[in-house]
């Protein structure tokens, strides 16, 4: 999907978080392992919260920032292939952690690319902030997942 404005990127990020949350819910429904189900429930709720946070952020951001046009749009194809992920009932906590880390890395790379290519300092600041948030989310995920092992 070609991105043209900040609002397009934030909309796509929201949709991606929603799709990931839906993926975790589908996996939770078929999972055979109680601890894996607990992790997937946590992850799906977490993705819903991130979707809502991005929506709220978009509402509160200035029109100038939201309407900012990019000269170069990020090409982040890895985030576009959720349908190719194999959902298996026997997935382990490690399998789910690996999946979640791949999903987070998609957004880390997207935000990094956008921040590097934005000419507006205000827009760079926003995407650097989102980048740091995603990195913190990865650490939190690992911490919580290790507690379930």
């Amino acid at each position: 999907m070609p991105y043209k404005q900040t609002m397009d990127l934030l909309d796509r990020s929201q949709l991606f978080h929603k799709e990931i949350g839906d993926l975790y819910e589908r996996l939770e429904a078929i999972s055979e392992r109680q601890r894996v189900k607990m992790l997937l429930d946590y992850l799906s709720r977490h993705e819903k919260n991130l979707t809502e946070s991005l929506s709220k952020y978009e509402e509160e951001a200035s029109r100038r920032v939201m309407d900012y046009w990019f000269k170069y749009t990020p090409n982040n194809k890895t985030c576009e292939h959720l349908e190719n992920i194999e959902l298996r009932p026997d997935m382990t906590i490690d399998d789910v952690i690996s999946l979640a880390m791949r999903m987070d890395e998609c957004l880390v790379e997207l935000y990094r690319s956008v921040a590097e290519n934005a000419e507006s300092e205000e827009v760079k600041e926003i995407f650097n902030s989102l980048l740091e948030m995603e990195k913190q989310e990865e650490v939190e995920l690992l911490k919580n997942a290790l507690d379930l092992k």
Side-chain angles (χ1 to χ4, degrees), residues 31-70:
S31 180
E32 298 170 343
R33 300 176 175 167
Q34 190 57 36
R35 289 183 186 258
V36 172
K37 284 180 175 286
M38 289 170 53
L39 177 58
L40 289 163
D41 178 60
Y42 162 78
L43 289 171
S44 64
R45 285 184 288 116
H46 180 70
E47 292 300 329
K48 182 178 180 184
N49 289 338
L50 289 172
T51 302
E52 291 169 2
S53 294
L54 280 170
S55 177
K56 199 179 287 187
Y57 182 81
E58 193 172 339
E59 291 171 10
E60 295 171 0
S62 75
R63 213 54 266 157
R64 184 178 79 239
V65 169
M66 296 306 293
D67 290 341
Y68 174 82
W69 286 89
F70 289 88

Side-chain angles (χ1 to χ4, degrees), residues 6-22:
T6 302
M7 74 177 87
D8 297 325
L9 287 164
L10 292 178
D11 286 346
R12 180 61 190 118
S13 293
Q14 284 178 56
L15 179 60
F16 188 66
H17 280 294
K18 182 188 178 319
E19 290 171 345
I20 294 169
D22 292 347

